[in-house]
Amino acid sequence: MTILILAEHDGSALQPAVLHTMTAAQKIGGDVHVLVVGANAGAAAKAAASIAGVTKVLYADAPHFASPTAENVAVAAVAVVKGGGYSHVLASATGFGKNVLPRIAALCDVAQISDIVAVEAPDTFVRPIYAGSVLATVRSADPIKVITVRATGFDAAQATGGNAEIVAAAQEPDTGLSRVTGQELSKSERPELTSARIVVSGGRGLGSAENFKLLEALAAKLNAAIGASRAAVDAGYVPNDYQVGQTGKIVAPDLYLAVGISGAIQHLAGMKDSKVIVAINKDAEAPIFQIADYGLVGDLFQIIPELTAAL
């Protein structure tokens, strides 16, 4: 039994979710190989080879992978999968994994298993359904298991200690089905939301984009990332990439501060695995208090400045 992990990277470094996916692969058992698809991404391939437990890294290097599209990456991955006799194909349940792996599953004529949070056996996995309110145990009889892994469900593997060989993968031609015409990357002085140890999130209760500056001051004291509920994003208080929840980003920091967030089930699905949850809301009956480790009922416009000053 051999497992292939499709690595997400920026050309020079692996994304942190790859290490969590590695832990899921180790729980399945067997040899673990990593596929790096890119152009001049040798540094990312070396980083993959250094992960403890990886036995081989396959590096697909071609000019049309400089701005890789899901169609091209999927075709390259399927060529490796079918040529290598892999039993499982894994990727993190990020935008990258959710974009590429369904295509791999379709090309392999198997059903994908999405967003797993636990491994019970090589063919049996646990995944959340109904916005995380129910956990479903799924058993697959497909010859190739194509799986996306929720990073918050698994600890990160050791990024160093491995010394896997790096071999060239066959270069598949450009499919010509799509191309990247431009990219716009958001920039922030705050830590990246999905990998931050502390997250401060605001909801509709903040009332305006201007009031989100209260959270920015608090986040600066804590070196925290800033998140938001869908209600705050839909109201235009903050950009879409701040959104935490079922249709946003899934986070599991050491500390999550929910400010002015009522706690709709869709939001809870994105942050309930946080180690410590602190809720600040003027409504004592808000659902967020049902999962909070610490709850403070009061006016956030008084509490947040006081907390920031105390820190």
Side-chain angles (χ1 to χ4, degrees):
M1 186 167 60
T2 309
I3 301 164
L4 182 69
I5 295 175
L6 181 60
E8 181 179 359
H9 61 89
D10 62 5
S12 58
L14 299 177
Q15 295 301 316
V18 174
L19 298 178
H20 298 267
T21 304
M22 178 64 190
T23 299
Q26 290 174 321
K27 289 183 179 296
I28 294 171
D31 289 339
V32 180
H33 297 176
V34 176
L35 173 61
V36 176
V37 179
N40 300 316
K46 290 180 180 178
S50 298
I51 299 174
V54 173
T55 56
K56 182 189 289 186
V57 173
L58 298 105
Y59 177 29
D61 182 9
H64 58 274
F65 292 138
S67 296
T69 63
E71 291 82 0
N72 281 337
V73 174
V75 167
V78 169
V80 171
V81 171
K82 292 186 175 180
Y86 291 97
S87 59
H88 298 71
V89 182
L90 273 61
S92 53
T94 58
F96 172 79
K98 292 176 180 179
N99 197 11
V100 178
L101 255 65
R103 291 174 163 85
I104 294 176
L107 291 171
C108 292
D109 195 25
V110 298
Q112 178 177 304
I113 303 173
S114 302
D115 230 21
I116 69 165
V117 295
V119 176
E120 294 198 348
D123 65 348
T124 308
F125 311 92
V126 178
R127 61 180 299 268
I129 58 174
Y130 301 128
S133 59
V134 177
L135 293 176
T137 301
V138 180
R139 178 175 294 154
S140 171
D142 285 330
I144 303 172
K145 280 70 171 173
V146 178
I147 302 165
T148 57
V149 177
R150 180 175 289 193
T152 57
F154 299 89
D155 294 331
Q158 291 292 328
T160 58
N163 188 27
E165 65 170 334
I166 301 175
V167 300
Q171 291 191 16
E172 296 299 314
D174 188 348
T175 62
L177 295 173
S178 64
R179 62 189 176 92
V180 177
T181 59
Q183 292 183 346
E184 185 174 331
L185 301 178
S186 60
K187 295 182 179 179
S188 174
E189 297 178 356
R190 305 262 61 83
E192 204 279 322
L193 183 57
T194 56
S195 59
R197 293 183 59 250
I198 302 174
V199 174
V200 178
S201 275
R204 198 202 311 266
L206 280 155
S208 69
E210 183 69 20
N211 289 336
F212 253 83
K213 292 181 179 178
L214 290 172
L215 299 192
E216 292 176 4
L218 177 59
K221 293 286 187 180
L222 294 170
N223 190 30
I226 296 179
S229 68
R230 178 169 180 172
V233 171
D234 287 349
Y237 301 165
V238 289
N240 287 353
D241 57 349
Y242 280 44
Q243 185 177 327
V244 173
Q246 183 184 15
T247 55
K249 295 180 179 177
I250 308 296
V251 300
D254 294 339
L255 174 63
Y256 188 90
L257 282 81
V259 181
I261 295 175
S262 63
I265 189 170
Q266 291 85 356
H267 184 76
L268 302 186
M271 45 67 70
K272 66 180 182 180
D273 291 329
S274 304
K275 292 181 175 59
V276 176
I277 298 172
V278 176
I280 300 172
N281 199 297
K282 65 181 181 181
D283 179 8
E285 302 300 320
I288 191 72
F289 289 122
Q290 296 177 13
I291 68 161
D293 299 285
Y294 300 93
L296 183 56
V297 178
D299 183 356
L300 69 87
F301 297 105
Q302 176 185 348
I303 293 169
I304 296 303
E306 289 179 355
L307 177 56
T308 304
L311 289 168

